[in-house]
Amino acid sequence: MTELLYLASAVLFILGLKQLSGPRTARRGNTVAAAGMLLAVIVTMVDGDIVSWGTIVAGLVFGTVVGAVLALRIQMTAMPQLVAAFNGFGGLASAVVALAEIEHVGIALPGETAVTVVLSLAIGTITFTGSFVAFGKLQGIVTGRPVGFPGGHLVNAALLAGIAALGVAAVLGDTAAWYWLVVAVAAGLGVLAVLPIGGADMPVVISLLNSLSGVAASMAGFVINNSALIIGGALVGAAGLILTLQMAEAMNRSIANVLFSRFGGGGGPSADTGDKPVNRATPDDVAIALAYAGRVVVVPGYGLAVAQAQHAVRELATALEERDVEVGYAIHPVAGRMPGHMNVLLAEADVPYEQLFDLDQSNPKFPQTDVVLIIGANDVVNPSARDDASSPIYGMPILDVDKARTVVVVKRSLSPGFAGIDNPLFYEDNTMMLFADGKAAVESIIGALDDV
Amino acid sequence: MSPEFIAGIVVFVLAAFVGFEVISKVPPTLHTPLMSGANAISGITIVGAIIAAGFAEGNAATVLGFIAVTAATINVVGGFLVTDRMLEMFKRKPARREERNAP
């Protein structure tokens, strides 16, 4: 009976995920999945031969308070690091479940169970430490730049091989110490694998860690022979992998390249940009260009999120719409710090869903666009990704903003973006540069618009 | 290999394929909520945590059980709540629009 109820909760997860994939049903889907989780928890508490309730109740209450406070307090801009943190807790829990199993049953495990114990310890721990390094990078506690040292990848490869060797020793050996060593080495690998990855690659890393947390849960399911964990974990592992592949594709990079190239984070050589002239614009110039446009497209980048400018942008759009200017938003797949992050930020600022366009929808429309307003984006609008075969980002799909009649770039300075590459767009004749903080700039454009 | 273990592998592989099929076509707008919702589902390890904490005997086992249940609960409760918060923002949009367009 217990098994059937676990199956029911797995079905609720599948239905929930299915509904989460459609805009109209998404919220219900989340509730359905949560109901599946509640069912699984209740079934476990009723059936699980539980002798000590104190620990369980204490953990449930404490975890609920912490989780709820974090979830309800968090700013939408900080969503990527929150997801990374939750992810890390999931990995930790899976690893500890496997440890508890060794503590409880002892190490005289059947061979296949011992293998899954090693896998849940290793994957769970890598997810745990890797996610918290990602959290630190996104939160600004750890530098967003790639941190690495020569031969770092060899060290990581050696650590991975070490985990495998220790795992074999744990399965064949007769002491629990091997398992603890697996944990220790995996913890180091999680840290060292994420540290060299630059801030711009975070969408890929977050997706990959999400996928790993699912796999860890699944492995823990093998350890305690529980189908709910195996199914739930496998679903999440597959879902995370799809998003990882999509993100990597959006940057024209392979996952291996993201993990091992130490790309991004402003570490690269900055091109010689000193002498080339740019068209400096004032907020008044921009206001005039926008006021007499027929169609305006806003291209938001992470700089917009950092400046908390999404509400100001929404105000500007409303002001333009009152002047019968058509306003849309073109969103590159890696515009934020996690997949779909920019869409969430704009939704928070009440931007209507129908005004958001993805890469494929946006590009054909740029030639008919009067003004493109780029706020805090750089690499995703860099034409050299399309035109210059020698560029490090050559081949990355970009928004073809240079095909619009006028391009306005709001940016703090001419400094290169995460990829550390100069952007020829800034020096085009039809480009106006407005050097300012994103939010302040948009607010002064709104002010100037009143006088046009 | 025990029959249970083989059955587990069968379930794992089939569930992974279901995951691929269910998720493969998702609009970019929903990527963040989908990821955070999926993340909450990976907190299913809470079931293992409760079992582990339930048979706790002795200090080490109690500590491990408490850590596992707490970490998994943060993942589950936080994950589902924050996903709901995000989706609520998406949802109220059409209603507002009608209001604004109404005479």
Side-chain angles (χ1 to χ4, degrees), chain B residues 53-66:
Chain B
F55 56 52
E57 66 263 332
N59 287 337
T62 305
V63 170
L64 289 178
F66 178 72

Side-chain angles (χ1 to χ4, degrees), chain A residues 104 108 118 130 137 144 191 227 280 311 315 317 319 323 361 425 436:
Chain A
H104 178 60
V118 170
K137 278 181 174 269
V191 172
S227 59
R280 277 174 183 270
H311 296 278
E315 264 178 61
R323 291 169 177 261
Q361 294 167 319
L425 177 73

Side-chain angles (χ1 to χ4, degrees), chain A residues 6 13-14 17-18 20-23 26-27 30 33-34 37 40-41 44 50-52 55-56 58-60 62-64 66-68 71-74 76 79 82-83 86-87 89-90 92-94 96-97 100 103-104 112 116 206-207 210 213-214 217-218 222 224-226 228-231 234-236 238-239 241-243 246-247 314 338-341 343-344 347-348 350-354, chain B residues 1-5 7-13 15-57 60-94 96-97 100:
Chain A
Y6 279 140
F13 290 156
I14 295 170
L17 274 177
K18 179 81 195 156
L20 264 172
S21 339
R27 198 170 176 202
N30 186 53
M37 189 65 73
V41 168
T44 311
I50 289 169
V51 290
S52 73
T55 324
I56 297 174
L60 286 176
F62 184 53
T64 300
V66 173
L72 298 177
R73 286 271 176 89
I74 195 83
M76 286 298 152
M79 191 56 65
L82 185 71
V83 171
F86 285 158
N87 216 19
F89 283 121
L92 174 68
S94 297
V96 176
V97 166
E103 283 290 319
H104 178 60
E112 67 255 24
T116 54
I206 299 283
S207 315
N210 189 36
S213 77
S218 221
F222 279 100
I224 60 168
N225 195 18
N226 183 299
L229 267 74
I230 297 178
I231 298 176
L235 287 172
V236 177
L241 192 58
I242 290 178
L243 285 176
Q246 284 184 0
M247 288 304 113
R314 171 75 186 112
M338 71 183 287
H341 187 203
N343 304 67
V344 171
E348 187 197 12
D350 279 338
V351 172
Y353 178 70
E354 311 87 79
Chain B
M1 278 191 269
S2 67
E4 289 90 22
F5 191 75
I9 293 176
V10 171
V11 166
F12 176 78
V13 172
F17 274 97
V18 171
F20 273 117
E21 285 305 314
V22 168
I23 301 297
S24 56
K25 281 186 223 91
V26 181
T29 297
L30 289 175
H31 279 169
T32 293
L34 176 72
M35 187 175 285
S36 106
N39 185 22
I41 292 177
S42 75
I44 181 65
T45 200
I46 192 174
V47 165
I50 291 173
I51 294 172
F55 56 52
E57 66 263 332
T62 305
V63 170
L64 289 178
F66 178 72
I67 294 175
V69 174
T70 304
T73 308
I74 293 174
N75 189 191
V76 168
V77 173
F80 282 123
L81 272 183
V82 84
T83 309
D84 190 66
R85 223 184 111 195
M86 273 188 275
L87 291 170
E88 187 189 9
M89 296 182 331
F90 284 124
K91 207 155 187 196
R92 63 172 190 241
K93 226 63 13 101
R96 283 230 181 162
R97 215 165 151 69
R100 211 175 337 117

Side-chain angles (χ1 to χ4, degrees), chain A residues 366-425:
Chain A
F366 282 119
Q368 291 93 49
T369 299
D370 299 298
V371 182
V372 170
L373 182 60
I374 301 170
I375 304 170
N378 187 349
D379 297 328
V380 298
V381 293
N382 191 335
S384 44
R386 188 187 58 217
D387 306 330
D388 177 6
S390 68
S391 170
I393 56 168
Y394 181 69
M396 173 172 117
I398 57 155
L399 291 163
D400 293 324
V401 294
D402 53 335
K403 306 225 164 112
R405 235 178 48 190
T406 305
V407 178
V408 177
V409 180
V410 176
K411 206 172 170 316
R412 282 173 169 278
S413 70
L414 266 185
S415 66
F418 270 112
I421 316 158
D422 192 25
N423 191 341
L425 177 73

